[in-house]
């Protein structure tokens, strides 16, 4: 048996009365419970901001006398006791949705693999939407009591932080993460050495050590190749996310897929369901087949067993986005592996051969995943359709609509994304157990009972808070780095906390068309600066460091942001991450999204905005095509296919400006009642909160995965394996 880490070693002894703060700091439960955050921030609110909301650093750095003083503060201690009681109740619940719904399934286990997890800003092991979804999925699984373990990477260098130079060029800065300041616990063997698994890479065996993060009730295990015994270059294999170099990438995916299975075995887990979140982890299926073949099973039988117990979620609606490897690379990395599966080289390659025009004969990770999982899904209704068409060639006998890929639309984790003030407000009107019934539409009907002025007061507070936060960030930047003054203006110091504010934050990839709203700059400048009806737009987002067109797009936006003619009403915020994501999706009035249809598989930031009372203004793509009902936000463009992208852009831009000028701005400014509140705007906001919050909650999503993917009907009948 493996002896696990015990007390976190890196927090100095705490006063006895509040010693459990360290336990709380090492369970991410606090990240989705705003009151629990205050147990830390009340100790020292300045330090709390300075450590970027990191309770471990806070407890390491705060003076012992301050901690001692806390133990004399009766109000603080009462608060501490209450939060610890809530934490204990959460960790050992009498019952959960899972125990009520599946009382006979308590011995089963779901293993969930993802290449990134977005859990909190202090754990920069995510790049964007996929990671945030994985993180939310784990938190949601914890909330409903699923028997669940997750596997991913602890990247030693994390994702980059973004700086924009004066001429708008994105600079990526990498820093080595300090694990001793993060809520990651090293797993050790009986002798106190790091517990490791090994995988075979060409000419050598590479070790990966294991770390654990407590995500509520769920353990998340992270692999890290920076271990004694590995060569210096192998120690760097897991240092970064999404490396472009194919050899590094395939090595990472072997560590995740093959090493991840070995890690779970070593820790004593025997999962019943294996979920691949995107194709990066698809080698897991090969490792599981290898295990069975080793015990005497035939390849066919083993593959069938793997298929029956595997789930694959695809997130990529464009073939070019698929993760694929050339055959020579497969020969190099898997030459030793296929004999262990009882296969010849060609049989092996055929498992995932992609001979499509776009592929140029590759080994495709999504094809491997589609072939090794009987349960397959896209992440929105439209994406399901797109995926069925895209992969139809694997089921040549079936019409596209019968291709066995279903869809489960994404959701977001309310505890993580809902503003504290709104949570307090909903607490008062929704009844005691609303947080357990987030996906129940009848709860959200009660939004109508909240008086307009109370809701509006919270909305105004959240916008002021955003503007204040931007100013403080700009001040920091000005103090520390002496940027050019125009960059300080570009980071939001001239924003008006009472003006209509539009947010656009996402990865800068060209299909997301961040510059669509700049299509006609003159017209836009006119809109921004109308007297008495000013409009301001906040942009944020990173581009993958190797994505030159994406970086050019940032530059294009930044150049317009810097123009004096916009009056400081266009803003670009550096370094979009979960913290900024929270401020923006809680603080703006309108959430803009302009992907080129149908390239946005789902999108999730708009869902975060919706439950906070922010109105969506988006192309009818991904989730918004399902969410929009004509009254709960606005659409951009129509559901059409265009001959050229240029035509599509022109049509969408024209529609965007006219809706903005004729509907959105007037609704916000003109329809004010005597008390200064825009009644019709608030009505639309309530319609948005009521209709969207339950449907796009993580609770709805994880229950749907549980019912239809993890413990659904027998798959053989509904999901034939694709033809090789
Ligand atoms: C929610 C979120 C995303 C994903 O949002 P999209 O709508 O899919 O673009 C990306 N990055 C961060 C930091 C987020 O919080």
């Amino acid at each position: 048996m493996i002896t696990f880490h015990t007390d976190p070693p890196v927090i100095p002894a705490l006063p006895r009365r509040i010693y459990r703060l360290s336990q709380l700091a090492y369970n991410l439960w606090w990240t989705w419970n705003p009151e629990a955050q205050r147990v830390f921030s009340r100790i020292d609110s300045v330090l709390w901001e300075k450590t970027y909301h990191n309770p471990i650093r806070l407890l390491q750095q705060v003076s012992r006398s301050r901690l001692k003083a806390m133990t004399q503060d009766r109000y603080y201690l009462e608060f501490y006791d209450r939060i610890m009681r809530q934490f204990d109740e959460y960790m050992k619940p009498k019952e959960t949705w899972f125990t009520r719904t599946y009382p006979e399934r308590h011995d089963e286990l779901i293993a969930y693999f993802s290449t990134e997890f977005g859990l909190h800003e202090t754990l920069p092991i995510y790049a964007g939407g996929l990671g945030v979804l994985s993180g939310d999925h784990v938190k949601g699984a914890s909330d409903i009591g699923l028997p669940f373990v997750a596997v991913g990477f602890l990247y030693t260098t994390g994702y980059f932080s973004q700086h924009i130079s004066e001429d708008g060029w994105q600079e990526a800065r990498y820093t080595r993460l300090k694990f001793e300041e993060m809520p990651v616990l090293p797993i050790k063997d009986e002798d106190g050495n790091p517990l490791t698994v090994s995988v075979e890479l060409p000419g050598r065996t590479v070790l990966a050590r294991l770390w654990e993060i407590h995500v509520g009730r769920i353990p998340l295990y992270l692999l890290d190749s920076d271990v004694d015994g590995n060569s210096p270059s192998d120690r760097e294999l897991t240092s970064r996310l999404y490396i472009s170099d194919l050899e590094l990438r395939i090595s990472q995916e072997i560590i995740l897929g093959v090493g991840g299975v070995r890690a779970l075995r070593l820790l004593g887990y025997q999962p019943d369901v294996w979920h691949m979140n995107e194709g990066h982890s698809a080698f897991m299926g090969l490792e599981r087949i290898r295990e069975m073949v080793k015990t005497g099973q035939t390849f066919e039988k083993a593959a069938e067993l793997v298929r029956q117990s595997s789930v694959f979620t695809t997130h990529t609606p464009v073939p070019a986005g698929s993760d694929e490897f050339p055959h020579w690379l497969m020969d190099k990395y898997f030459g030793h592996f296929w004999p262990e599966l009882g296969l010849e080289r060609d049989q092996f390659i055929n498992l995932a051969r992609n001979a499509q025009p776009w592929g140029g004969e590759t080994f495709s990770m999504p094809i491997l995943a589609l072939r090794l999982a009987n349960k397959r899904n896209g992440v929105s209704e439209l994406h399901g359709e797109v995926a069925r068409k895209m992969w139809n060639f694997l089921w040549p006998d079936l019409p596209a609509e019968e291709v066995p890929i279903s869809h489960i639309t994404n959701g977001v984790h309310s505890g993580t994304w809902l503003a504290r003030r709104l949570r307090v407000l909903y607490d008062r009107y929704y009844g005691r157990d609303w947080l357990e019934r987030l996906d129940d539409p009848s709860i959200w009907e009660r939004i109508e009972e909240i008086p307009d002025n109370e809701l509006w007061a919270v909305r105004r507070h959240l916008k002021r808070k955003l503007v204040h936060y931007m100013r403080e960030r700009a001040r920091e930047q000005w103090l520390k780095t002496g940027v050019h003054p125009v960059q300080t203006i570009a980071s939001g110091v001239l924003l008006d906390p009472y003006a209509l504010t539009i947010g656009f934050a996402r990865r800068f990839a060209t299909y997301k068309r961040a510059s669509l709203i700049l299509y006609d700059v003159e017209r836009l400048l006119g809109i921004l600066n109308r007297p008495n009806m000013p409009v301001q737009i906040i942009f944020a987002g990173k581009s993958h460091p190797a994505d030159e067109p994406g970086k050019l797009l940032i530059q294009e936006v930044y150049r317009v942001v810097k123009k004096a003619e916009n009056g400081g009403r266009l803003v670009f915020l550096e370094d979009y991450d979960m913290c900024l994501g929270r401020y923006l999706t809680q603080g703006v009035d309108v959430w803009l999204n302009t992907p080129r249809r149908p390239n946005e598989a789902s999108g999730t930031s708009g869902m975060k905005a919706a439950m906070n009372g922010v109105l969506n203004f988006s192309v009818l793509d991904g989730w918004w095509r399902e969410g929009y009902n004509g009254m709960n936000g606005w659409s951009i463009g129509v559901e059409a296919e265009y001959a050229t992208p240029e035509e599509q852009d022109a049509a969408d831009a024209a529609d965007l400006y006219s809706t903005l000028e004729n509907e959105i701005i007037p609704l916000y400014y003109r329809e004010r009642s005597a008390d200064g509140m825009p009644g019709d705007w608030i009505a639309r906001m309530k319609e948005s909160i009521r209709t969207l919050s339950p449907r796009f909650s993580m609770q709805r999503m994880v229950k749907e995965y549980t019912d239809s993917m993890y413990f659904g009907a027998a798959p053989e009948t509904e999901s034939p394996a694709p033809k090789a």
Side-chain angles (χ1 to χ4, degrees):
M1 189 54 207
I2 291 152
T3 57
F4 289 105
H5 41 78
T6 45
D7 265 349
V10 288
I11 294 183
L14 296 170
R16 263 182 67 142
R17 181 66 179 80
I18 52 173
Y19 82 100
R20 293 188 68 203
L21 283 176
S22 81
Q23 195 185 347
L24 199 62
Y26 276 88
N27 190 316
L28 297 186
W29 177 82
W30 71 262
T31 66
W32 69 88
N33 286 279
E35 291 295 304
Q37 292 160 26
R38 285 152 80 93
V39 173
F40 299 115
S41 65
R42 277 174 70 168
I43 297 174
D44 185 336
S45 58
V46 174
L47 192 55
W48 179 247
E49 289 303 323
K50 218 173 117 199
T51 60
Y52 207 41
H53 322 127
N54 182 335
I56 296 171
R57 280 178 70 198
L58 178 107
L59 294 175
Q60 286 168 349
Q61 292 177 17
V62 70
S63 72
R64 296 301 104 178
S65 58
R66 177 73 191 145
L67 286 174
K68 187 113 191 298
M70 298 316 286
T71 65
Q72 312 297 319
D73 178 339
R74 190 157 58 86
Y75 295 107
Y76 180 77
L77 293 178
E78 259 171 37
F79 183 57
Y80 165 88
D81 289 338
R82 180 157 59 81
I83 297 301
M84 292 315 299
R85 215 160 39 237
Q86 284 173 9
F87 177 57
D88 291 338
E89 278 163 18
Y90 181 88
M91 293 303 288
K92 291 210 164 48
K94 285 192 209 72
E95 58 163 25
T96 62
W97 174 83
F98 182 75
T99 59
R100 282 195 303 275
T101 317
Y102 292 97
E104 74 293 357
R105 295 269 196 180
H106 56 89
D107 287 339
E108 301 201 17
L109 182 68
I110 299 140
Y112 177 89
F113 284 51
S114 185
T115 192
E116 45 167 321
F117 286 89
L119 294 154
H120 189 254
E121 56 263 28
T122 54
L123 277 162
I125 55 172
Y126 64 96
L130 183 73
V132 172
L133 183 81
S134 310
D136 277 8
H137 194 128
V138 181
K139 293 170 185 173
S142 172
D143 288 344
I144 64 164
L146 270 191
F148 197 89
V149 294
V151 178
F153 283 119
L154 186 59
Y155 299 100
T156 42
T157 309
Y159 204 50
F160 69 95
S161 65
Q162 178 198 49
H163 296 266
I164 305 293
S165 72
E166 197 199 326
D167 72 344
W169 198 243
Q170 167 179 294
E171 291 163 4
R173 298 194 186 157
Y174 292 92
T175 37
R176 215 143 175 99
L177 300 180
K178 295 185 182 142
F179 294 165
E180 69 281 6
E181 295 179 347
M182 293 163 59
V184 291
L185 295 159
I187 303 185
K188 302 199 170 139
D189 65 16
E190 290 107 327
D191 303 325
N193 299 315
L195 191 70
T196 58
V197 291
S198 61
V199 297
E200 298 73 37
L201 293 180
R204 69 219 197 259
T205 296
V206 170
L207 302 173
R209 63 178 301 189
L210 302 178
W211 300 83
E212 181 175 357
I213 298 185
H214 300 300
V215 186
R217 305 171 187 130
I218 309 286
L220 163 60
Y221 296 104
L222 299 173
L223 298 145
D224 156 27
S225 74
D226 186 15
V227 206
D228 287 342
N230 284 344
S231 71
S233 57
D234 286 338
R235 294 183 78 135
E236 294 297 314
L237 280 177
T238 61
S239 66
R240 290 183 191 187
L241 292 83
Y242 300 123
I243 331 181
S244 313
D245 181 284
L246 283 177
E247 298 228 16
L248 293 178
R249 191 182 264 247
I250 196 171
S251 303
Q252 280 193 344
E253 294 187 11
I254 290 170
I255 294 174
L256 180 63
V258 178
V261 173
R262 293 179 186 172
L264 291 182
R265 301 297 187 210
L266 185 62
L267 295 166
Y269 292 107
Q270 305 302 337
D272 302 276
V273 177
W274 300 74
H275 187 169
M276 296 171 263
N277 188 44
E278 199 41 293
H280 310 111
S281 55
F283 292 141
M284 76 151 71
L286 299 180
E287 171 63 8
R288 292 179 57 217
I289 295 173
R290 194 192 63 82
E291 289 178 336
M292 288 188 241
V293 168
K294 204 168 152 203
T295 66
Q297 207 65 271
T298 62
F299 174 83
E300 282 70 27
K301 180 71 191 156
E304 188 48 37
L305 291 170
V306 165
R307 269 198 283 279
Q308 285 173 18
S309 52
S310 297
V311 174
F312 170 50
T313 302
T314 168
H315 298 260
T316 318
V318 274
S322 291
D323 188 24
E324 313 189 336
F325 298 112
H327 290 163
W328 65 265
L329 202 62
M330 295 308 294
D331 291 339
K332 181 170 170 186
Y333 281 79
F334 280 85
H336 69 282
F337 200 96
W338 63 67
E340 293 193 55
L341 302 178
L343 296 182
E344 302 289 334
R345 190 250 182 199
D346 280 354
Q347 293 172 308
F348 177 77
I349 293 288
N350 281 340
L351 286 175
R353 182 188 292 276
N354 188 359
Q356 291 304 297
W358 78 71
E361 282 286 313
T362 55
F363 188 94
S364 154
M365 296 301 280
I367 293 181
L368 183 66
L370 288 166
R371 287 239 172 80
L372 292 181
N374 274 359
K375 302 276 184 71
R376 319 168 185 91
N377 71 291
V379 290
S380 70
E381 190 181 72
L382 181 61
H383 177 232
E385 262 170 49
V386 169
R388 285 189 287 279
K389 278 197 207 130
M390 180 167 145
W391 300 111
N392 199 170
F393 69 90
L394 295 174
W395 287 269
D397 304 338
L398 297 178
E401 54 291 0
E402 283 174 33
V403 166
I405 302 175
S406 60
H407 80 271
I408 293 181
T409 304
N410 284 343
V412 292
H413 186 254
S414 316
T416 302
W417 297 107
L418 186 64
R420 190 185 66 86
R421 279 282 192 95
L422 275 175
R423 185 157 157 168
V424 171
L425 185 64
Y426 296 165
D427 267 339
R428 279 181 28 229
Y429 288 91
Y430 286 4
R432 273 187 67 80
D433 59 346
W434 71 279
L435 280 167
E436 268 95 69
R437 296 168 53 197
L438 284 165
D439 54 335
D440 177 350
S442 72
I443 293 283
W444 295 92
E445 298 290 337
R446 299 179 195 160
I447 186 79
E448 301 300 341
E449 291 162 29
I450 301 182
D452 282 4
N453 61 351
E454 290 193 36
L455 189 57
W456 189 241
V458 176
R459 291 291 332 143
R460 282 169 51 113
H461 162 80
L462 292 171
K463 189 154 63 176
R464 281 196 303 267
K465 203 173 141 195
L466 166 66
V467 170
H468 176 75
Y469 178 69
M470 283 189 291
R471 271 201 205 129
E472 288 312 306
R473 274 174 58 129
R475 193 190 313 282
E476 277 293 287
Q477 191 193 37
W478 179 237
L479 269 170
K480 280 201 185 128
T481 57
V483 290
H484 191 280
V486 75
Q487 292 185 274
T488 302
I489 292 172
S491 49
V493 290
L494 292 182
L495 285 186
D496 172 353
Y498 302 102
L500 174 61
T501 305
I502 299 175
F504 180 101
R506 49 191 38 85
R507 192 159 49 84
F508 272 65
T510 47
Y511 80 85
K512 301 227 184 199
R513 294 193 300 184
S515 60
L516 191 75
I517 194 161
L518 310 177
Y519 193 85
D520 181 346
V521 174
E522 290 311 310
R523 187 164 173 189
L524 178 67
L525 293 176
I527 293 174
L528 299 179
N529 287 315
R530 269 197 256 163
N532 302 327
M533 286 201 270
V535 175
Q536 43 201 18
I537 306 177
I538 305 171
F539 295 93
K542 295 175 177 177
S543 189
H544 186 282
D547 178 4
E548 297 301 316
K551 287 191 278 188
L552 283 167
L553 196 57
I554 292 181
Q555 189 168 44
E556 185 189 336
V557 170
Y558 202 74
R559 286 189 173 153
V560 183
V561 165
K562 279 198 316 184
K563 276 181 192 276
E565 297 93 305
N566 72 48
R569 300 196 202 277
L570 291 183
V571 167
F572 189 101
L573 298 180
E574 290 181 339
D575 215 19
Y576 179 44
D577 68 351
M578 288 181 71
C579 177
L580 195 51
R582 269 198 318 275
Y583 272 99
L584 287 169
T585 55
Q586 295 171 4
V588 300
D589 299 298
V590 173
W591 195 251
L592 177 70
N593 194 14
T594 52
R596 179 170 287 130
R597 232 176 144 265
N599 285 345
E600 178 100 308
S602 166
T604 52
S605 55
M607 305 172 184
K608 304 168 195 167
M611 69 167 115
N612 281 297
V614 175
L615 289 170
N616 277 274
F617 178 31
S618 287
V619 168
L620 292 170
D621 197 7
W623 80 281
W624 188 233
R625 183 172 162 273
E626 289 158 60
Y628 179 58
N629 71 359
M631 291 168 318
N632 58 2
W634 297 273
S635 62
I636 298 170
V638 287
E639 288 203 63
E641 294 189 8
Y642 291 87
T644 64
E646 290 74 27
E647 278 178 49
Q648 189 173 11
D649 291 356
D652 288 351
D655 192 50
L656 188 162
Y657 290 127
S658 95
T659 304
L660 192 56
E661 287 177 321
N662 303 325
E663 296 184 38
I664 300 180
I665 299 172
L667 195 70
Y668 186 83
Y669 283 112
R670 288 227 190 95
E671 321 283 333
R672 299 266 168 152
S673 55
D675 47 8
M677 286 193 301
D680 292 341
W681 184 278
I682 296 171
R684 195 168 273 252
M685 194 156 94
K686 286 183 170 175
E687 173 73 8
S688 163
I689 295 172
R690 183 178 70 76
T691 55
L692 302 172
S693 308
R695 267 180 74 194
F696 299 99
S697 67
M698 183 47 67
Q699 232 166 67
R700 187 273 305 153
M701 185 189 114
V702 279
K703 288 180 186 173
E704 215 175 317
Y705 271 96
T706 306
D707 293 339
S708 63
M709 306 302 275
Y710 300 152
F711 300 135
E716 293 98 316
T717 46
E718 51 180 52
S719 301
K723 294 218 158 131

